[in-house]
Amino acid sequence: MATSDERTCTSPGCNNPITSNLACPKCKEFGINSYFCAQDCFKMNYGAHKQFHSVIKQVMINNGGAQHRKTPPRNGVSCALDAAPELKLSLPDWAHDFSFSGRLRPALYSPMRTVPPEIRRPDYADHPAGVSESERRDKANHNSIRVYTSKELDAEYGLRHACRMGREVLDAAGKALRVGVTTDEIDRVVHEACIERDCYPSPLNYFNFPKSVCTSVNEVVCHGIPDYREVQDGDIVNIDVSVYNRGGYHGDLNETFCVGNVDDDGKMLVKTAFESLASAMELVKPGTLYRDFGTAIHKTASKNKCSVVRTYCGHGIGSLFHTIPNVPHYQKNKAKGTVKAGHVFTIEPMINRGTYDEYTWGDNWTSVTSDGKRSAQFEHTILVTETGYELLTARENEPVMTWNEDLISR
């Protein structure tokens, strides 16, 4: 816990140290500590600061009122691990009258897993709404993309370490995936693998996400919540892993797996998603415009009559889970910025077999294709070097993405 002299003023552009406990009373109602250096500073900047209250109202559940789209419902969605099978496989309350686009249906999920107190935690881990105040401050005060130093990258618990741990955790999850396993079991494997590596599972409680990994099956585009449904023969399953290490860095990656007897069209989609990411990788070097990645991804996807999701994008990552740059995956986007050595970010195109349109289930997280057709995705965390790039989340002995169907078949 920080002492008062380690804090700086919340007002944008003011870096004065905090010498008292002068805090915004409205923020305190939300469970957030927003400190100011002086009463005059607070009054002068309150007009801008109060806009933050409107954002928080959308995020937090206030006396049973409206929920932020990323805040899962609190009741009727989970049950104990030892509950009866028929209860585990029952629909969540929100799903009974919900209009689904495809065949996939949610089941209940297990209670949120706990993290030992000795594991370093990101700032949102214990926030009642899962809000990252460090990300909020960064968004308000910084408009330049961070350049990481060799010390930050190569320290014992530096950024490379976080990404390497993420790769190990994803590999463990992939090995556990098979016909008949539940995605809740995959969540258990990921959670325990993170703890074994002295890492916090980054998704856990991020804007109240209830699990330690995202598992997206068939028509799910992203942000699928692991539950008690068993993986079926012929499913395609994306496992999206993010970890936060002892040094305070996040690593983020995902892969889509073919489980059992996946049809040729499904295999083609998964390979197209892999090649779409690989095509963008070929452009990563100093001087490339961030908006140019989308053109390469679009060309690759469209060759196989697939579409590129527009709603979600890659992002800067490191000491923050999500930050600038934003990296759209579709053509003719308006992303700002030029790639420079030392930038660290993800590229993670979601490729759909049908339309690029998607919508969110009633759990306020799971994004699905609007036509019910399948979606696939791959993701890496990338470091820009002086001459190109380094895959910080690369498979062992695979510095450049190389398609191998055996590696994603289960």
Side-chain angles (χ1 to χ4, degrees):
M1 181 180 294
T3 57
S4 60
D5 61 355
E6 291 179 285
R7 299 188 297 255
T8 57
C9 184
T10 299
S11 295
C14 180
N15 295 314
N16 290 335
I18 300 300
T19 57
S20 69
N21 288 323
L22 176 64
C24 172
K26 191 67 176 178
C27 285
K28 280 189 172 183
E29 293 178 15
F30 296 137
I32 298 171
N33 292 322
S34 296
Y35 292 101
F36 294 82
C37 62
Q39 187 72 35
D40 289 344
C41 187
F42 175 62
K43 291 180 179 179
M44 186 182 304
N45 291 282
Y46 186 72
H49 175 74
K50 69 179 181 181
Q51 296 177 16
F52 175 60
H53 300 157
S54 299
V55 176
I56 290 299
K57 285 178 182 178
Q58 297 174 38
V59 178
M60 301 189 67
I61 302 172
N62 292 315
N63 299 320
Q67 300 173 149
H68 185 275
R69 65 179 296 274
K70 288 186 176 180
T71 303
R74 293 297 186 180
N75 299 309
V77 295
S78 66
C79 65
L81 286 165
D82 59 356
E86 57 269 23
L87 175 60
K88 287 183 174 182
L89 295 176
S90 63
L91 287 174
D93 285 356
W94 61 263
H96 290 285
D97 298 315
F98 191 79
S99 178
F100 293 92
S101 62
R103 296 180 179 179
L104 186 70
R105 296 294 182 272
L108 301 187
Y109 52 77
S110 63
M112 183 180 287
R113 293 181 163 88
T114 60
V115 177
E118 63 269 20
I119 300 291
R120 180 169 178 172
R121 308 162 79 85
D123 62 351
Y124 55 81
D126 300 305
H127 191 283
V131 173
S132 171
E133 290 198 61
S134 57
E135 288 187 5
R136 179 180 66 85
R137 288 193 299 270
D138 177 76
K139 187 173 183 179
N141 298 326
H142 299 102
N143 56 17
S144 60
I145 301 170
R146 181 170 175 176
V147 174
Y148 281 87
T149 65
S150 59
K151 182 178 180 180
E152 293 167 324
L153 292 163
D154 299 326
E156 181 180 5
Y157 296 109
L159 186 46
R160 274 201 178 88
H161 173 270
C163 292
R164 188 167 65 250
M165 294 302 98
R167 166 49 64 182
E168 291 182 5
V169 172
L170 178 58
D171 288 347
K175 289 178 182 178
L177 183 63
R178 63 187 183 279
V179 173
V181 74
T182 65
T183 49
D184 186 80
E185 172 65 10
I186 299 300
D187 180 72
R188 182 195 66 79
V189 170
V190 167
H191 187 88
E192 294 182 0
C194 287
I195 303 307
E196 289 170 1
R197 289 162 177 78
D198 197 24
C199 291
Y200 181 94
S202 301
L204 190 64
N205 201 48
Y206 186 70
F207 287 100
N208 287 156
F209 189 78
K211 290 296 175 181
S212 297
V213 66
C214 297
T215 52
S216 300
V217 181
N218 295 336
E219 67 263 31
V220 178
V221 173
C222 61
H223 302 158
I225 300 175
D227 61 23
Y228 290 124
R229 175 192 179 273
E230 293 182 352
V231 175
Q232 305 296 307
D233 182 36
D235 283 348
I236 62 171
V237 182
N238 179 271
I239 301 177
D240 192 340
V241 167
S242 309
V243 305
Y244 181 74
N245 74 353
R246 174 67 63 183
Y249 296 100
H250 297 270
D252 191 4
L253 71 161
N254 73 56
E255 294 184 354
T256 300
F257 298 89
C258 296
V259 182
N261 299 296
V262 175
D263 59 49
D264 289 342
D265 198 60
K267 291 179 180 179
M268 181 276 292
L269 172 64
V270 172
K271 185 178 181 182
T272 299
F274 184 95
E275 292 176 343
S276 294
L277 175 56
S279 67
M281 291 291 187
E282 294 177 358
L283 298 179
V284 180
K285 60 183 179 180
T288 297
L289 300 178
Y290 277 103
R291 65 172 181 251
D292 289 344
F293 297 126
T295 301
I297 292 167
H298 172 83
K299 287 181 179 179
T300 302
S302 61
K303 286 179 182 178
N304 289 324
K305 298 182 179 180
C306 294
S307 62
V308 183
V309 172
R310 295 168 174 255
T311 308
Y312 304 99
C313 61
H315 53 89
I317 189 170
S319 58
L320 299 175
F321 194 3
H322 296 93
T323 183
I324 55 174
N326 291 322
V327 187
H329 303 120
Y330 56 93
Q331 66 173 351
K332 297 181 181 179
N333 67 78
K334 297 180 180 180
K336 299 178 181 179
T338 302
V339 175
K340 295 181 180 179
H343 287 184
V344 177
F345 56 93
T346 71
I347 305 179
E348 45 187 301
M350 287 137 274
I351 307 301
N352 294 353
R353 190 63 186 98
T355 179
Y356 63 76
D357 288 329
E358 53 73 40
Y359 69 98
T360 303
W361 275 0
D363 60 11
N364 298 315
W365 273 103
T366 305
S367 172
V368 295
T369 60
S370 61
D371 57 9
K373 294 185 179 181
R374 289 173 291 190
S375 182
Q377 180 188 18
F378 288 82
E379 174 189 17
H380 274 299
T381 297
I382 307 145
L383 165 68
V384 183
T385 66
E386 294 292 345
T387 57
Y389 67 89
E390 177 185 346
L391 291 180
L392 296 180
T393 48
R395 295 169 178 164
E396 187 174 3
N397 300 318
E398 190 181 296
V400 176
M401 290 181 66
T402 305
W403 174 250
N404 183 340
E405 186 175 330
D406 291 341
L407 296 179
I408 54 92
S409 297
R410 295 295 182 267

